[in-house]
Structures are given as C-alpha cells and as structure tokens.
Amino acid sequence: MRFAANLSMMFTERPFLDRFGAAAAAGFDAVEFLFPYDVPAERIRAALDAHGLTQALFNLPPGDWAAGERGIASLPGREAEFREGVATAIAYAKALGNRLLHCMAGIPPEGLERDAALATYTGNLRHAAAACAEAGLTLLVEPINNRDMPGYLMNGTALARRVIGEVGAPNLKLQLDLYHCQISEGDLATRIRANADLTAHVQIAGVPDRQEPDRGEVNYPYLFEVLAETGYRGFIGCEYRPRARTEDGLGWFHAASTRAAR
C-alpha cells in the first residue's frame, strides 16, 4: 500500500508549503491536495523535490468554490471556462509530475433536468479526456455522497461506470473514495472488487466523521487486503480531517505501512 497525505486536510497546523516537509517527516512519500492554483507551480515543485515527495493528483479548477460551486463540468454554458481550466490543470500536472487529474462534476442548478446536466458532463469529459491523453495523463471521476455535498451530480459507482462507458476514453477512470462510497452505497469489499477494472485512485477516511481511518464503521485493514487481492497498485489518498494534531493520529498509518513492508 502506498499512501498519499492529503495536504488540504492534513498538517493544516502549518502554512501550505510547510506541509510537504511535515508529511515527509511523518513517513509519507507522496501527497495530494484539492487545488494548487493559488500557488505558483514552481514553488510546489520545489517543495516536492526538497522532501523527495511524489505528487499523486489534484482536481481541475472547481469554479467559484467560495460561492458553493463544486465543479462546472455539468453546468451548461460554462464549457469555455471548463476548457480553460483543463488547460491550466494540465500545465500544473506537467510541472508537478502527477499522472492523475480529477474532474469534479458539479452541482447542477435547480430547474436543470438531470439528463441535460449529464449530457453537458459527458461532453466536457470527452474534451478533458482527449486533452489529458495528449499530455499522457489519466482523468478521473469520483462519486461523492449527497449527505456531504447535496445535489452533487456524480454520486454513485454505477453512474460512474455508466458515464465512463459513454465517454469511451481509455484514459478515463474511477477515483474510488471509500468514505463517500460507504455513506452512499456500503458493501465496500464488493464495490472494490466490482470496480477494480476501472479504479485508478483510492481515498480513505473514517466513517461517519471523516477523521482518521482507525475508528468508526469501516474496517480498513481488511479493505487494504481486499485492494491488494484485486491487484490495486495505485496510491491511497488520506483525505480526512485529523481529530487533533495530524502527527498524533498516525498510528494507523505506521501500522499499515509496517504490514505492507512484510
């Protein structure tokens, strides 16, 4: 198992660029985060290199996050903005060295029919997947639960498989967040096995509180074994909010890393 610290949620006791060193000191060799766009790519690249870290992935620009937008891929009339965001994300990925980009689907406005939102979404995904393919990148879709993000369009693995099939791009894959999947669907071992053919990135957090994956209703040590059995070799993103100081809650990580090294 290869774990990536999510620097948008972990080590937040420090300024963003200081979190890279903290992650490396804690034993991580990879990181991820939501968005890099407020920081010049060369400064992030320098932080990665200084601490021997691999960048796992980040998200395409989400629109107006402060106003509640969670991606614009399913919003009709925003196609030009979406394409500009794809180009920006690819430029950052080339600088940072990650091979994965996640495209947030968005929350369609009230009154927009679901089929219209899905048509806009699949059209934008076709463009983004083609642009990513030219850059040697893989594009991801991630189901997000509607408890945490009400109205989010991409909200289940069955829909993800359907959309990936409709787009038909070989570099369009699934980002399987087991926290979201447990809330929306449950039956996690079965979901992992059923979607192993499409899964290119996995994320974890404790359920129901999205804290360390060492308590709650999900048995992660067992699921790590299931992932290994399916042949998964990608990163596992630690996208959770620590209960207190990040380093004080990493016992689960050190235990998992020790088991993986045996």
Side-chain angles (χ1 to χ4, degrees):
M1 301 290 101
R2 299 188 296 163
F3 296 96
N6 188 297
L7 300 186
S8 296
M9 295 189 178
M10 301 173 70
F11 304 102
T12 56
E13 306 88 352
R14 303 165 175 80
F16 178 67
L17 288 174
D18 291 345
R19 298 173 198 173
F20 293 81
F28 289 94
D29 58 13
V31 297
E32 62 179 41
F33 39 71
L34 295 181
F35 313 107
Y37 309 109
D38 290 336
V39 182
E42 59 269 21
R43 295 188 66 191
I44 301 176
R45 177 80 249 183
L48 292 167
D49 292 343
H51 301 290
L53 293 167
T54 297
Q55 182 70 40
L57 89 163
F58 56 84
N59 298 334
L60 270 62
D64 190 342
W65 187 268
E69 291 187 337
R70 295 297 182 262
I72 60 173
S74 63
L75 308 186
R78 305 283 290 275
E79 289 84 357
E81 180 184 350
F82 177 81
R83 293 187 175 208
E84 291 176 4
V86 170
T88 299
I90 289 173
Y92 265 85
K94 288 180 177 179
L96 303 185
N98 53 292
R99 312 311 300 169
L100 303 176
L101 288 173
H102 169 227
C103 175
M104 297 192 74
I107 302 172
E110 291 186 14
L112 179 65
E113 292 187 1
R114 184 172 177 82
D115 286 347
L118 284 168
T120 300
Y121 181 44
T122 55
N124 279 325
L125 285 174
R126 288 189 183 96
H127 167 80
C132 284
E134 290 183 6
L137 303 175
T138 296
L139 185 68
L140 305 178
V141 298
E142 176 192 16
I144 295 178
N145 79 79
N146 283 160
R147 185 191 76 186
D148 287 3
M149 203 172 287
Y152 191 77
L153 182 68
M154 174 50 68
N155 57 10
T157 54
L159 177 60
R161 293 192 69 90
R162 172 187 154 192
V163 167
I164 290 170
E166 289 179 359
V167 173
N171 66 322
L172 182 62
K173 301 294 184 180
L174 174 67
Q175 179 170 317
L176 183 61
D177 188 315
L178 296 176
Y179 164 81
H180 291 302
C181 190
Q182 170 66 5
I183 294 170
S184 297
E185 305 175 61
D187 201 11
L188 292 180
T190 298
R191 305 292 177 199
I192 290 170
R193 293 186 176 106
N195 294 289
D197 59 324
L198 292 179
T199 300
H201 189 68
V202 170
Q203 291 176 322
I204 61 172
V207 182
D209 297 323
R210 206 170 192 176
Q211 295 176 336
E212 284 87 347
D214 58 2
R215 66 178 66 177
E217 61 194 56
V218 177
N219 180 1
Y220 277 108
Y222 167 69
L223 294 181
F224 295 154
E225 293 178 2
V226 174
L227 285 166
E229 290 168 6
T230 66
Y232 180 72
R233 294 295 180 267
F235 289 108
I236 297 177
C238 305
E239 194 179 44
Y240 66 82
R241 302 182 184 92
R243 290 185 289 270
R245 182 174 174 268
T246 301
E247 289 88 342
D248 295 338
L250 290 177
W252 72 269
F253 164 64
H254 297 305
S257 298
T258 298
R259 285 193 299 270
R262 290 174 182 168

